Amino acid sequence: MAWLFERVAVVGVGLIGGSLALAARRAGLISHVTGVGRSEANLATARARGIIDRATRDVEAIGPVDLVVLAVPVETTAIVARALVPRLAPGTVVTDVGSVKGVIVEALEALLPPTCPFVGTHPIAGSERSGAAAAEVDLFQDACCVITPTPRTDAAALERVEALWRGVGARVRRMAPADHDRALAWTSHLVHALAYTLAGAINAEDPSRFALAGPSLREATRVAASLPELWRDIFLANRTAVNEAITTFSSQLERLRAAIAAGDGDAIARLLEAGRAGRRRLESER
Amino acid sequence: MAWLFERVAVVGVGLIGGSLALAARRAGLISHVTGVGRSEANLATARARGIIDRATRDVEAIGPVDLVVLAVPVETTAIVARALVPRLAPGTVVTDVGSVKGVIVEALEALLPPTCPFVGTHPIAGSERSGAAAAEVDLFQDACCVITPTPRTDAAALERVEALWRGVGARVRRMAPADHDRALAWTSHLVHALAYTLAGAINAEDPSRFALAGPSLREATRVAASLPELWRDIFLANRTAVNEAITTFSSQLERLRAAIAAGDGDAIARLLEAGRAGRRRLESER
């Protein structure tokens, strides 16, 4: 049997890295997985769950592999890549799974030698949970995975990385890194900013009101349980686009607020209809 | 067997009214249900699903009942009550399930004769769906139901209405109508304002971005599929509190935006930690 990538190193065996290893192994795409991480306990969990075969805390000790998956926080990706470069055998494909692509793709294309092709990816899946314990073999089933090639991207490596994502059930979509970042600022980063702000604002006003939470508040704040460091880094790495998305969103919210304050039922209804039309469009996508 | 309310009229056999009838019937709390509504098709669905025994489109034709449940949109509640008053037999308990309590409780206490005690309630449950087809027998299981008595509320009727909600699985909580409205402006009305605005803003920017929707955007916009007329009426009926909640939320969101625009990682992290603390508090409630 021919593996897509026989030996794989997953740097950061968390929710995304761990789920990818689990799913790719089940699909018969990869054979041997070395997990790299800072936490012994998390690596032990990853071994116990069959996510990785071998664990190391030293990124320089990964040994020869066919694929390196960088699944660490956005701000850490280039730092880890820099440490890896001297150890990478020619032909090793490097990929990442970061939620922001512009800064990562630029940094890694500059860092990696031409013999180690880089392909940036972002699987749009996950949850507020983290660590190897949260990994799920079906996490990417029917999820969208954005691949962000550039003119410098090696065509063969691109095909293999796309085959990996398709093999774990994702719908693959190619986008330029900057286009990805502008779109995700709206569809994900803004959503997290709203969730954190909503949970924080209610807590500051009167936390006893959480006792009145219905399904809508529970859903709207679920991702506010995500790790703040991860999201601080994402906001910083996609600062311009996130700033624009929040600004535009706020001006739209202000229109609704003004209509409510003025008691303008027609204006309120128009804004809500526009929102409902958007939601219908979302539901029609797949 | 003694019924809690033997004969019940449900005016508005939608998601909430229909689910209450289904659940109360299964729990053996009520016997005969007359459904009142404008849509023949919806009433036929309600009969076919065993939600109601008898259907009428004429609220004046409900006949003698022990309980009237007003489960119509917020702005319609007082209009329906006004039409009902001449037909209500002494001793009939009247309740409503509206998402705003101040205006409804005030109007109904003024409209109804002292022989027909009124108890305002708000079960915090539901979904973006509507109509008898959407009714679910377990909708209120473990949900919070706010009961909003006033000094004028009849004690015996209050106990019976609370028993009804407990009997269908809800956790009952008493609050003054104005306190309910201020709290719900935050925990529900603001959440819906954000969902509609988010879905509408992405649609206006670039609807193709919905193809990149992950779980967080799907959850955050789910309730934007709700009926705009219902929510227009709720926003209008709770105008002052909703305006305040949106204003405070917006100023908090502006703090996060400014921190991101300034690249101030520490300020971002503090705001996200505050949001995460709120979400933890929500999770600890039940």
Side-chain angles (χ1 to χ4, degrees), chain B residues 18-43:
Chain B
S19 297
L20 179 58
L22 272 182
R25 200 196 274 287
R26 185 180 64 178
L29 303 169
I30 65 177
S31 169
H32 184 273
V33 180
T34 296
V36 185
R38 286 173 305 180
S39 156
E40 295 273 16
N42 188 59
L43 290 172

Side-chain angles (χ1 to χ4, degrees), chain A residues 193-262:
Chain A
L194 298 177
Y196 279 113
T197 302
L198 180 59
I202 295 176
N203 205 36
E205 278 288 303
D206 181 354
S208 74
R209 289 179 177 163
F210 284 125
L212 304 171
S216 65
L217 181 61
R218 290 182 184 279
E219 285 183 322
T221 58
R222 180 185 57 83
V223 295
S226 307
L227 290 174
E229 316 89 76
L230 287 185
W231 283 91
R232 175 200 60 202
D233 288 0
I234 290 167
F235 292 151
L236 288 172
N238 199 23
R239 188 192 305 189
T240 307
V242 173
N243 181 28
E244 282 175 16
I246 296 179
T247 300
T248 305
F249 174 88
S250 294
S251 70
Q252 290 297 106
L253 183 61
E254 170 57 21
R255 285 179 64 194
L256 178 57
R257 188 207 61 73
I260 293 169

